Amino acid sequence: MQGLLSYVNQMVAQITQGGNAVGAAVTIDGTPYRYNGIAVANAAKPDKGDVVFVLCASDDDLGTGAYDELGRFSTV
């Protein structure tokens, strides 16, 4: 398992959504990362929900590649 990374510069994110498909282009310390995701609506509270992202090129083998990354955003 790799150690945690720290970043000193500002993170910039461009988020796009079409239906429940979500994309994110995130730039950290000048390096671009692309994520694909899905929006999950909350049927009980239509103004609430979640978005789940996965780093493009992630796979199910955590021992290979530089990054395997998932993320979740939730409205509160």
Side-chain angles (χ1 to χ4, degrees):
M1 181 174 175
Q2 295 183 9
L4 296 176
L5 300 175
S6 65
Y7 299 96
V8 296
N9 294 328
Q10 182 178 22
M11 179 183 82
V12 178
Q14 287 184 293
I15 309 295
T16 58
Q17 182 175 359
N20 67 340
V22 181
V26 179
T27 302
I28 303 171
D29 282 352
T31 303
Y33 299 92
R34 295 206 174 273
Y35 295 81
N36 290 324
I38 187 167
V40 182
N42 182 330
K45 298 178 183 176
D47 60 331
K48 306 283 184 199
D50 293 289
V51 177
V52 179
F53 288 105
V54 63
L55 180 67
C56 294
S58 289
D59 59 33
D60 61 354
D61 184 353
L62 299 179
T64 62
Y67 301 101
D68 288 296
E69 187 169 85
L70 294 172
R72 176 180 171 249
F73 296 95
S74 178
T75 58
V76 291

Short mmCIF file of all heavy atoms in Angstrom, two decimals:
data_model
loop_
_atom_site.label_atom_id
_atom_site.label_comp_id
_atom_site.label_asym_id
_atom_site.label_seq_id
_atom_site.Cartn_x
_atom_site.Cartn_y
_atom_site.Cartn_z
N MET A 1 0.84 -1.17 0.00
CA MET A 1 0.00 0.00 0.00
C MET A 1 0.88 1.24 0.00
O MET A 1 1.82 1.34 0.78
CB MET A 1 -0.91 -0.02 1.22
CG MET A 1 -1.83 1.15 1.29
SD MET A 1 -2.95 0.89 2.69
CE MET A 1 -3.80 2.41 2.64
N GLN A 2 0.58 2.17 -0.86
CA GLN A 2 1.36 3.40 -0.94
C GLN A 2 0.98 4.33 0.19
O GLN A 2 -0.13 4.30 0.70
CB GLN A 2 1.14 4.07 -2.28
CG GLN A 2 1.64 3.25 -3.44
CD GLN A 2 1.46 4.00 -4.75
OE1 GLN A 2 1.12 5.17 -4.77
NE2 GLN A 2 1.69 3.31 -5.84
N GLY A 3 1.92 5.22 0.54
CA GLY A 3 1.65 6.21 1.58
C GLY A 3 0.72 7.29 1.08
O GLY A 3 0.45 7.42 -0.11
N LEU A 4 0.24 8.07 2.00
CA LEU A 4 -0.64 9.18 1.65
C LEU A 4 0.16 10.27 0.97
O LEU A 4 1.31 10.52 1.31
CB LEU A 4 -1.32 9.74 2.90
CG LEU A 4 -2.25 8.79 3.63
CD1 LEU A 4 -2.77 9.44 4.90
CD2 LEU A 4 -3.41 8.39 2.74
N LEU A 5 -0.47 10.93 0.01
CA LEU A 5 0.17 12.05 -0.67
C LEU A 5 -0.37 13.35 -0.11
O LEU A 5 -1.51 13.43 0.32
CB LEU A 5 -0.13 11.99 -2.17
CG LEU A 5 0.34 10.75 -2.91
CD1 LEU A 5 -0.13 10.79 -4.35
CD2 LEU A 5 1.85 10.65 -2.85
N SER A 6 0.48 14.37 -0.09
CA SER A 6 -0.01 15.68 0.31
C SER A 6 0.23 16.65 -0.83
O SER A 6 1.17 16.48 -1.62
CB SER A 6 0.68 16.16 1.58
OG SER A 6 2.06 16.35 1.34
N TYR A 7 -0.61 17.65 -0.93
CA TYR A 7 -0.53 18.62 -2.00
C TYR A 7 -0.49 20.01 -1.39
O TYR A 7 -1.17 20.28 -0.41
CB TYR A 7 -1.74 18.50 -2.94
CG TYR A 7 -1.82 17.14 -3.60
CD1 TYR A 7 -2.61 16.13 -3.08
CD2 TYR A 7 -1.07 16.87 -4.73
CE1 TYR A 7 -2.66 14.88 -3.68
CE2 TYR A 7 -1.13 15.62 -5.34
CZ TYR A 7 -1.93 14.64 -4.80
OH TYR A 7 -1.97 13.41 -5.39
N VAL A 8 0.28 20.89 -2.00
CA VAL A 8 0.43 22.23 -1.44
C VAL A 8 -0.27 23.29 -2.28
O VAL A 8 -0.51 24.39 -1.80
CB VAL A 8 1.92 22.62 -1.28
CG1 VAL A 8 2.59 21.70 -0.27
CG2 VAL A 8 2.65 22.55 -2.62
N ASN A 9 -0.61 22.99 -3.50
CA ASN A 9 -1.27 23.96 -4.37
C ASN A 9 -2.77 23.75 -4.39
O ASN A 9 -3.29 22.72 -3.97
CB ASN A 9 -0.72 23.87 -5.80
CG ASN A 9 0.73 24.29 -5.88
OD1 ASN A 9 1.17 25.14 -5.12
ND2 ASN A 9 1.47 23.69 -6.78
N GLN A 10 -3.43 24.74 -4.95
CA GLN A 10 -4.88 24.71 -5.06
C GLN A 10 -5.35 23.58 -5.97
O GLN A 10 -4.74 23.28 -6.99
CB GLN A 10 -5.36 26.04 -5.63
CG GLN A 10 -6.84 26.19 -5.75
CD GLN A 10 -7.22 27.57 -6.28
OE1 GLN A 10 -6.43 28.24 -6.92
NE2 GLN A 10 -8.44 27.97 -6.02
N MET A 11 -6.45 22.95 -5.60
CA MET A 11 -7.08 21.94 -6.43
C MET A 11 -8.19 22.61 -7.24
O MET A 11 -8.93 23.43 -6.71
CB MET A 11 -7.71 20.85 -5.56
CG MET A 11 -8.42 19.78 -6.37
SD MET A 11 -9.23 18.53 -5.37
CE MET A 11 -10.76 19.37 -4.97
N VAL A 12 -8.26 22.28 -8.53
CA VAL A 12 -9.28 22.82 -9.41
C VAL A 12 -10.09 21.65 -9.95
O VAL A 12 -9.52 20.66 -10.40
CB VAL A 12 -8.65 23.62 -10.58
CG1 VAL A 12 -9.72 24.13 -11.52
CG2 VAL A 12 -7.80 24.76 -10.05
N ALA A 13 -11.43 21.78 -9.88
CA ALA A 13 -12.28 20.69 -10.36
C ALA A 13 -13.35 21.24 -11.29
O ALA A 13 -13.98 22.25 -10.99
CB ALA A 13 -12.94 19.97 -9.19
N GLN A 14 -13.53 20.56 -12.42
CA GLN A 14 -14.64 20.85 -13.33
C GLN A 14 -15.55 19.64 -13.28
O GLN A 14 -15.13 18.53 -13.61
CB GLN A 14 -14.14 21.06 -14.75
CG GLN A 14 -13.44 22.37 -14.96
CD GLN A 14 -13.07 22.53 -16.43
OE1 GLN A 14 -12.25 21.80 -16.94
NE2 GLN A 14 -13.72 23.48 -17.09
N ILE A 15 -16.80 19.87 -12.87
CA ILE A 15 -17.78 18.79 -12.73
C ILE A 15 -18.83 18.94 -13.82
O ILE A 15 -19.34 20.03 -14.05
CB ILE A 15 -18.47 18.84 -11.35
CG1 ILE A 15 -17.45 18.93 -10.21
CG2 ILE A 15 -19.42 17.66 -11.18
CD1 ILE A 15 -16.57 17.74 -10.05
N THR A 16 -19.12 17.84 -14.51
CA THR A 16 -20.18 17.84 -15.52
C THR A 16 -21.18 16.75 -15.17
O THR A 16 -20.82 15.75 -14.55
CB THR A 16 -19.60 17.59 -16.93
OG1 THR A 16 -18.91 16.34 -16.93
CG2 THR A 16 -18.66 18.69 -17.35
N GLN A 17 -22.44 16.96 -15.57
CA GLN A 17 -23.46 15.96 -15.32
C GLN A 17 -24.45 15.94 -16.45
O GLN A 17 -24.89 16.98 -16.93
CB GLN A 17 -24.20 16.25 -14.01
CG GLN A 17 -25.25 15.19 -13.69
CD GLN A 17 -25.91 15.40 -12.33
OE1 GLN A 17 -25.59 16.33 -11.61
NE2 GLN A 17 -26.84 14.53 -12.00
N GLY A 18 -24.80 14.75 -16.90
CA GLY A 18 -25.85 14.51 -17.88
C GLY A 18 -26.69 13.37 -17.37
O GLY A 18 -26.23 12.23 -17.34
N GLY A 19 -27.92 13.68 -16.89
CA GLY A 19 -28.72 12.63 -16.25
C GLY A 19 -28.05 12.22 -14.96
O GLY A 19 -27.69 13.05 -14.14
N ASN A 20 -27.83 10.92 -14.77
CA ASN A 20 -27.14 10.49 -13.56
C ASN A 20 -25.65 10.21 -13.81
O ASN A 20 -24.94 9.82 -12.90
CB ASN A 20 -27.83 9.27 -12.94
CG ASN A 20 -27.74 8.03 -13.79
OD1 ASN A 20 -27.49 8.09 -14.99
ND2 ASN A 20 -27.98 6.88 -13.19
N ALA A 21 -25.17 10.43 -15.05
CA ALA A 21 -23.74 10.28 -15.35
C ALA A 21 -23.01 11.56 -14.98
O ALA A 21 -23.42 12.66 -15.35
CB ALA A 21 -23.53 9.97 -16.82
N VAL A 22 -21.91 11.41 -14.22
CA VAL A 22 -21.16 12.55 -13.74
C VAL A 22 -19.69 12.37 -14.14
O VAL A 22 -19.16 11.26 -14.11
CB VAL A 22 -21.26 12.68 -12.21
CG1 VAL A 22 -20.50 13.88 -11.69
CG2 VAL A 22 -22.72 12.75 -11.78
N GLY A 23 -19.05 13.46 -14.52
CA GLY A 23 -17.63 13.44 -14.83
C GLY A 23 -16.93 14.52 -14.03
O GLY A 23 -17.53 15.54 -13.69
N ALA A 24 -15.68 14.30 -13.71
CA ALA A 24 -14.89 15.30 -13.00
C ALA A 24 -13.50 15.34 -13.59
O ALA A 24 -12.86 14.30 -13.77
CB ALA A 24 -14.83 14.99 -11.51
N ALA A 25 -13.05 16.53 -13.92
CA ALA A 25 -11.66 16.76 -14.33
C ALA A 25 -11.03 17.54 -13.19
O ALA A 25 -11.37 18.70 -12.96
CB ALA A 25 -11.60 17.53 -15.64
N VAL A 26 -10.12 16.91 -12.45
CA VAL A 26 -9.52 17.51 -11.26
C VAL A 26 -8.03 17.72 -11.53
O VAL A 26 -7.34 16.80 -11.97
CB VAL A 26 -9.71 16.59 -10.03
CG1 VAL A 26 -9.07 17.20 -8.80
CG2 VAL A 26 -11.19 16.33 -9.80
N THR A 27 -7.56 18.94 -11.28
CA THR A 27 -6.14 19.24 -11.43
C THR A 27 -5.56 19.52 -10.05
O THR A 27 -6.05 20.39 -9.32
CB THR A 27 -5.94 20.45 -12.34
OG1 THR A 27 -6.52 20.16 -13.62
CG2 THR A 27 -4.46 20.75 -12.54
N ILE A 28 -4.53 18.76 -9.68
CA ILE A 28 -3.87 18.91 -8.39
C ILE A 28 -2.38 19.09 -8.65
O ILE A 28 -1.76 18.26 -9.31
CB ILE A 28 -4.09 17.67 -7.49
CG1 ILE A 28 -5.58 17.41 -7.29
CG2 ILE A 28 -3.39 17.84 -6.15
CD1 ILE A 28 -5.91 16.10 -6.62
N ASP A 29 -1.83 20.16 -8.15
CA ASP A 29 -0.41 20.47 -8.35
C ASP A 29 -0.03 20.39 -9.83
O ASP A 29 1.03 19.91 -10.20
CB ASP A 29 0.49 19.55 -7.53
CG ASP A 29 0.55 19.93 -6.07
OD1 ASP A 29 0.03 21.00 -5.70
OD2 ASP A 29 1.14 19.17 -5.28
N GLY A 30 -0.93 20.83 -10.71
CA GLY A 30 -0.66 20.86 -12.14
C GLY A 30 -0.88 19.55 -12.88
O GLY A 30 -0.74 19.49 -14.09
N THR A 31 -1.23 18.49 -12.16
CA THR A 31 -1.45 17.19 -12.79
C THR A 31 -2.95 16.94 -12.92
O THR A 31 -3.68 16.99 -11.93
CB THR A 31 -0.82 16.06 -11.94
OG1 THR A 31 0.57 16.33 -11.78
CG2 THR A 31 -1.00 14.71 -12.62
N PRO A 32 -3.42 16.67 -14.16
CA PRO A 32 -4.86 16.43 -14.35
C PRO A 32 -5.23 14.97 -14.05
O PRO A 32 -4.48 14.05 -14.37
CB PRO A 32 -5.07 16.73 -15.83
CG PRO A 32 -3.76 16.43 -16.46
CD PRO A 32 -2.71 16.73 -15.42
N TYR A 33 -6.38 14.80 -13.43
CA TYR A 33 -6.94 13.47 -13.16
C TYR A 33 -8.39 13.48 -13.64
O TYR A 33 -9.10 14.45 -13.43
CB TYR A 33 -6.90 13.15 -11.66
CG TYR A 33 -5.52 13.14 -11.08
CD1 TYR A 33 -4.98 14.28 -10.51
CD2 TYR A 33 -4.76 11.98 -11.10
CE1 TYR A 33 -3.69 14.28 -9.98
CE2 TYR A 33 -3.47 11.97 -10.57
CZ TYR A 33 -2.94 13.12 -10.01
OH TYR A 33 -1.69 13.11 -9.49
N ARG A 34 -8.83 12.41 -14.26
CA ARG A 34 -10.21 12.32 -14.75
C ARG A 34 -10.94 11.23 -13.99
O ARG A 34 -10.42 10.13 -13.80
CB ARG A 34 -10.23 12.02 -16.24
CG ARG A 34 -9.63 13.13 -17.06
CD ARG A 34 -10.21 13.13 -18.46
NE ARG A 34 -9.76 14.27 -19.20
CZ ARG A 34 -10.36 15.46 -19.20
NH1 ARG A 34 -11.43 15.64 -18.49
NH2 ARG A 34 -9.88 16.45 -19.90
N TYR A 35 -12.15 11.56 -13.59
CA TYR A 35 -13.00 10.65 -12.84
C TYR A 35 -14.32 10.47 -13.59
O TYR A 35 -14.83 11.40 -14.19
CB TYR A 35 -13.32 11.22 -11.45
CG TYR A 35 -12.13 11.35 -10.55
CD1 TYR A 35 -11.26 12.43 -10.66
CD2 TYR A 35 -11.87 10.39 -9.58
CE1 TYR A 35 -10.16 12.55 -9.82
CE2 TYR A 35 -10.78 10.51 -8.74
CZ TYR A 35 -9.93 11.60 -8.87
OH TYR A 35 -8.85 11.71 -8.04
N ASN A 36 -14.87 9.28 -13.51
CA ASN A 36 -16.23 8.99 -13.97
C ASN A 36 -17.06 8.72 -12.74
O ASN A 36 -16.55 8.22 -11.73
CB ASN A 36 -16.27 7.76 -14.88
CG ASN A 36 -15.61 8.02 -16.21
OD1 ASN A 36 -15.70 9.11 -16.75
ND2 ASN A 36 -14.91 7.02 -16.73
N GLY A 37 -18.34 9.04 -12.82
CA GLY A 37 -19.16 8.82 -11.65
C GLY A 37 -20.63 8.66 -11.98
O GLY A 37 -21.05 8.72 -13.13
N ILE A 38 -21.40 8.48 -10.92
CA ILE A 38 -22.83 8.34 -11.04
C ILE A 38 -23.49 9.09 -9.88
O ILE A 38 -23.01 9.05 -8.75
CB ILE A 38 -23.25 6.84 -11.03
CG1 ILE A 38 -24.73 6.71 -11.33
CG2 ILE A 38 -22.87 6.15 -9.76
CD1 ILE A 38 -25.16 5.30 -11.66
N ALA A 39 -24.56 9.80 -10.21
CA ALA A 39 -25.34 10.50 -9.20
C ALA A 39 -26.45 9.57 -8.73
O ALA A 39 -27.10 8.92 -9.53
CB ALA A 39 -25.94 11.78 -9.78
N VAL A 40 -26.63 9.51 -7.42
CA VAL A 40 -27.65 8.66 -6.83
C VAL A 40 -28.63 9.56 -6.08
O VAL A 40 -28.26 10.18 -5.07
CB VAL A 40 -27.04 7.62 -5.87
CG1 VAL A 40 -28.11 6.71 -5.29
CG2 VAL A 40 -25.96 6.82 -6.57
N ALA A 41 -29.85 9.66 -6.59
CA ALA A 41 -30.85 10.52 -5.98
C ALA A 41 -31.39 9.91 -4.69
O ALA A 41 -31.38 8.70 -4.52
CB ALA A 41 -32.00 10.76 -6.96
N ASN A 42 -31.87 10.77 -3.81
CA ASN A 42 -32.52 10.35 -2.58
C ASN A 42 -34.02 10.50 -2.80
O ASN A 42 -34.54 11.61 -2.84
CB ASN A 42 -32.03 11.21 -1.41
CG ASN A 42 -32.63 10.80 -0.08
OD1 ASN A 42 -33.74 10.30 -0.01
ND2 ASN A 42 -31.88 11.03 0.98
N ALA A 43 -34.73 9.41 -2.96
CA ALA A 43 -36.16 9.46 -3.28
C ALA A 43 -36.97 10.15 -2.19
O ALA A 43 -37.95 10.84 -2.49
CB ALA A 43 -36.70 8.05 -3.51
N ALA A 44 -36.57 10.02 -0.94
CA ALA A 44 -37.30 10.63 0.16
C ALA A 44 -37.06 12.13 0.25
O ALA A 44 -37.90 12.87 0.74
CB ALA A 44 -36.93 9.96 1.47
N LYS A 45 -35.88 12.59 -0.21
CA LYS A 45 -35.52 14.00 -0.14
C LYS A 45 -34.91 14.40 -1.49
O LYS A 45 -33.70 14.28 -1.69
CB LYS A 45 -34.52 14.25 0.98
CG LYS A 45 -35.04 13.91 2.35
CD LYS A 45 -33.99 14.14 3.41
CE LYS A 45 -34.50 13.73 4.77
NZ LYS A 45 -33.45 13.84 5.79
N PRO A 46 -35.71 14.85 -2.44
CA PRO A 46 -35.24 15.12 -3.80
C PRO A 46 -34.09 16.13 -3.89
O PRO A 46 -33.34 16.11 -4.85
CB PRO A 46 -36.48 15.66 -4.51
CG PRO A 46 -37.63 15.14 -3.72
CD PRO A 46 -37.15 15.06 -2.31
N ASP A 47 -33.92 17.00 -2.89
CA ASP A 47 -32.81 17.96 -2.92
C ASP A 47 -31.53 17.40 -2.32
O ASP A 47 -30.53 18.09 -2.20
CB ASP A 47 -33.21 19.25 -2.20
CG ASP A 47 -33.57 19.02 -0.74
OD1 ASP A 47 -34.05 17.92 -0.41
OD2 ASP A 47 -33.39 19.94 0.07
N LYS A 48 -31.55 16.14 -1.93
CA LYS A 48 -30.38 15.46 -1.36
C LYS A 48 -29.94 14.33 -2.29
O LYS A 48 -30.66 13.91 -3.17
CB LYS A 48 -30.70 14.88 0.02
CG LYS A 48 -31.29 15.84 1.00
CD LYS A 48 -30.23 16.72 1.57
CE LYS A 48 -30.86 17.62 2.65
NZ LYS A 48 -30.06 18.75 2.94
N GLY A 49 -28.74 13.84 -2.08
CA GLY A 49 -28.27 12.71 -2.87
C GLY A 49 -26.79 12.48 -2.67
O GLY A 49 -26.16 13.09 -1.81
N ASP A 50 -26.23 11.60 -3.46
CA ASP A 50 -24.81 11.25 -3.40
C ASP A 50 -24.25 11.20 -4.80
O ASP A 50 -24.97 10.99 -5.78
CB ASP A 50 -24.63 9.86 -2.78
CG ASP A 50 -25.02 9.81 -1.32
OD1 ASP A 50 -24.30 10.39 -0.50
OD2 ASP A 50 -26.05 9.19 -1.01
N VAL A 51 -22.94 11.37 -4.90
CA VAL A 51 -22.20 11.17 -6.15
C VAL A 51 -21.02 10.28 -5.81
O VAL A 51 -20.31 10.52 -4.84
CB VAL A 51 -21.71 12.50 -6.76
CG1 VAL A 51 -20.89 12.24 -8.01
CG2 VAL A 51 -22.87 13.41 -7.08
N VAL A 52 -20.81 9.25 -6.60
CA VAL A 52 -19.70 8.33 -6.42
C VAL A 52 -18.79 8.46 -7.64
O VAL A 52 -19.26 8.42 -8.78
CB VAL A 52 -20.19 6.88 -6.27
CG1 VAL A 52 -19.03 5.93 -6.11
CG2 VAL A 52 -21.15 6.76 -5.09
N PHE A 53 -17.48 8.65 -7.39
CA PHE A 53 -16.49 8.79 -8.47
C PHE A 53 -15.47 7.67 -8.40
O PHE A 53 -15.14 7.18 -7.33
CB PHE A 53 -15.71 10.11 -8.31
CG PHE A 53 -16.49 11.34 -8.62
CD1 PHE A 53 -16.95 12.16 -7.62
CD2 PHE A 53 -16.74 11.69 -9.93
CE1 PHE A 53 -17.65 13.31 -7.90
CE2 PHE A 53 -17.45 12.84 -10.24
CZ PHE A 53 -17.90 13.65 -9.21
N VAL A 54 -14.95 7.30 -9.56
CA VAL A 54 -13.81 6.39 -9.64
C VAL A 54 -12.80 7.01 -10.60
O VAL A 54 -13.17 7.58 -11.63
CB VAL A 54 -14.23 4.96 -10.10
CG1 VAL A 54 -14.80 4.97 -11.50
CG2 VAL A 54 -13.06 3.99 -10.00
N LEU A 55 -11.54 6.94 -10.23
CA LEU A 55 -10.47 7.46 -11.08
C LEU A 55 -10.38 6.61 -12.34
O LEU A 55 -10.34 5.38 -12.25
CB LEU A 55 -9.14 7.42 -10.33
CG LEU A 55 -7.92 7.94 -11.07
CD1 LEU A 55 -8.03 9.44 -11.31
CD2 LEU A 55 -6.66 7.63 -10.28
N CYS A 56 -10.41 7.26 -13.50
CA CYS A 56 -10.26 6.51 -14.75
C CYS A 56 -8.96 5.72 -14.70
O CYS A 56 -7.96 6.20 -14.20
CB CYS A 56 -10.27 7.47 -15.94
SG CYS A 56 -11.83 8.31 -16.17
N ALA A 57 -8.98 4.52 -15.17
CA ALA A 57 -7.85 3.59 -15.20
C ALA A 57 -7.67 2.84 -13.89
O ALA A 57 -6.75 2.06 -13.75
CB ALA A 57 -6.54 4.28 -15.59
N SER A 58 -8.54 3.06 -12.89
CA SER A 58 -8.49 2.24 -11.68
C SER A 58 -8.91 0.82 -12.02
O SER A 58 -9.66 0.59 -12.96
CB SER A 58 -9.44 2.80 -10.60
OG SER A 58 -8.95 3.99 -10.08
N ASP A 59 -8.41 -0.10 -11.27
CA ASP A 59 -8.81 -1.49 -11.46
C ASP A 59 -8.99 -2.14 -10.09
O ASP A 59 -8.86 -1.48 -9.06
CB ASP A 59 -7.80 -2.26 -12.32
CG ASP A 59 -6.40 -2.26 -11.74
OD1 ASP A 59 -6.26 -2.27 -10.50
OD2 ASP A 59 -5.45 -2.26 -12.52
N ASP A 60 -9.29 -3.42 -10.07
CA ASP A 60 -9.53 -4.09 -8.79
C ASP A 60 -8.28 -4.71 -8.19
O ASP A 60 -8.35 -5.44 -7.21
CB ASP A 60 -10.63 -5.14 -8.93
CG ASP A 60 -10.27 -6.23 -9.93
OD1 ASP A 60 -9.23 -6.13 -10.59
OD2 ASP A 60 -11.05 -7.18 -10.04
N ASP A 61 -7.10 -4.40 -8.74
CA ASP A 61 -5.84 -4.91 -8.20
C ASP A 61 -5.09 -3.74 -7.57
O ASP A 61 -4.45 -2.95 -8.26
CB ASP A 61 -5.01 -5.56 -9.30
CG ASP A 61 -3.73 -6.18 -8.78
OD1 ASP A 61 -3.41 -6.01 -7.58
OD2 ASP A 61 -3.04 -6.84 -9.57
N LEU A 62 -5.18 -3.60 -6.25
CA LEU A 62 -4.56 -2.47 -5.56
C LEU A 62 -3.04 -2.52 -5.57
O LEU A 62 -2.39 -1.56 -5.20
CB LEU A 62 -5.08 -2.39 -4.12
CG LEU A 62 -6.59 -2.20 -3.99
CD1 LEU A 62 -6.99 -2.16 -2.52
CD2 LEU A 62 -7.04 -0.94 -4.71
N GLY A 63 -2.46 -3.63 -6.00
CA GLY A 63 -1.01 -3.76 -6.04
C GLY A 63 -0.40 -3.27 -7.33
O GLY A 63 0.82 -3.28 -7.48
N THR A 64 -1.20 -2.84 -8.31
CA THR A 64 -0.65 -2.39 -9.58
C THR A 64 -1.03 -0.94 -9.83
O THR A 64 -2.02 -0.44 -9.31
CB THR A 64 -1.19 -3.24 -10.75
OG1 THR A 64 -2.61 -3.07 -10.83
CG2 THR A 64 -0.84 -4.70 -10.60
N GLY A 65 -0.25 -0.29 -10.65
CA GLY A 65 -0.56 1.09 -11.04
C GLY A 65 -0.25 2.07 -9.94
O GLY A 65 -0.03 1.72 -8.78
N ALA A 66 -0.22 3.34 -10.33
CA ALA A 66 0.09 4.38 -9.36
C ALA A 66 -1.08 4.67 -8.43
O ALA A 66 -0.89 4.93 -7.25
CB ALA A 66 0.50 5.65 -10.11
N TYR A 67 -2.31 4.63 -8.96
CA TYR A 67 -3.47 5.00 -8.16
C TYR A 67 -4.65 4.09 -8.45
O TYR A 67 -4.87 3.71 -9.58
CB TYR A 67 -3.92 6.44 -8.47
CG TYR A 67 -2.85 7.47 -8.23
CD1 TYR A 67 -2.12 7.99 -9.29
CD2 TYR A 67 -2.58 7.90 -6.95
CE1 TYR A 67 -1.15 8.94 -9.06
CE2 TYR A 67 -1.61 8.85 -6.72
CZ TYR A 67 -0.89 9.37 -7.77
OH TYR A 67 0.08 10.29 -7.55
N ASP A 68 -5.37 3.74 -7.45
CA ASP A 68 -6.68 3.12 -7.54
C ASP A 68 -7.51 3.92 -6.55
O ASP A 68 -7.28 3.88 -5.35
CB ASP A 68 -6.65 1.64 -7.14
CG ASP A 68 -5.96 0.81 -8.21
OD1 ASP A 68 -6.50 0.74 -9.32
OD2 ASP A 68 -4.90 0.24 -7.93
N GLU A 69 -8.47 4.67 -7.06
CA GLU A 69 -9.11 5.65 -6.20
C GLU A 69 -10.61 5.72 -6.41
O GLU A 69 -11.08 5.72 -7.54
CB GLU A 69 -8.48 7.02 -6.49
CG GLU A 69 -8.90 8.12 -5.58
CD GLU A 69 -8.03 9.34 -5.80
OE1 GLU A 69 -8.33 10.12 -6.69
OE2 GLU A 69 -7.05 9.47 -5.05
N LEU A 70 -11.34 5.76 -5.31
CA LEU A 70 -12.78 5.98 -5.30
C LEU A 70 -13.07 7.19 -4.42
O LEU A 70 -12.33 7.48 -3.49
CB LEU A 70 -13.51 4.77 -4.70
CG LEU A 70 -13.45 3.47 -5.47
CD1 LEU A 70 -14.05 2.35 -4.62
CD2 LEU A 70 -14.20 3.59 -6.78
N GLY A 71 -14.16 7.85 -4.69
CA GLY A 71 -14.56 8.97 -3.85
C GLY A 71 -16.07 9.06 -3.78
O GLY A 71 -16.77 8.60 -4.69
N ARG A 72 -16.58 9.65 -2.73
CA ARG A 72 -18.02 9.81 -2.55
C ARG A 72 -18.30 11.21 -2.01
O ARG A 72 -17.63 11.66 -1.09
CB ARG A 72 -18.55 8.79 -1.57
CG ARG A 72 -20.02 8.96 -1.27
CD ARG A 72 -20.50 7.91 -0.26
NE ARG A 72 -21.84 8.21 0.18
CZ ARG A 72 -22.16 8.61 1.39
NH1 ARG A 72 -21.23 8.75 2.30
NH2 ARG A 72 -23.41 8.87 1.70
N PHE A 73 -19.25 11.88 -2.62
CA PHE A 73 -19.70 13.17 -2.16
C PHE A 73 -21.16 13.03 -1.76
O PHE A 73 -21.92 12.33 -2.41
CB PHE A 73 -19.59 14.23 -3.25
CG PHE A 73 -18.18 14.50 -3.67
CD1 PHE A 73 -17.63 13.86 -4.77
CD2 PHE A 73 -17.40 15.40 -2.97
CE1 PHE A 73 -16.34 14.10 -5.16
CE2 PHE A 73 -16.10 15.65 -3.36
CZ PHE A 73 -15.55 15.00 -4.45
N SER A 74 -21.54 13.67 -0.68
CA SER A 74 -22.90 13.59 -0.21
C SER A 74 -23.39 14.98 0.15
O SER A 74 -22.64 15.79 0.66
CB SER A 74 -22.94 12.70 1.05
OG SER A 74 -24.24 12.63 1.56
N THR A 75 -24.66 15.27 -0.14
CA THR A 75 -25.24 16.53 0.29
C THR A 75 -25.74 16.39 1.72
O THR A 75 -26.15 15.31 2.14
CB THR A 75 -26.41 16.96 -0.61
OG1 THR A 75 -27.39 15.93 -0.59
CG2 THR A 75 -25.94 17.20 -2.03
N VAL A 76 -25.65 17.45 2.44
CA VAL A 76 -26.08 17.43 3.85
C VAL A 76 -27.17 18.44 4.09
O VAL A 76 -27.39 19.33 3.34
CB VAL A 76 -24.91 17.69 4.81
CG1 VAL A 76 -23.96 16.52 4.78
CG2 VAL A 76 -24.19 18.96 4.47
#
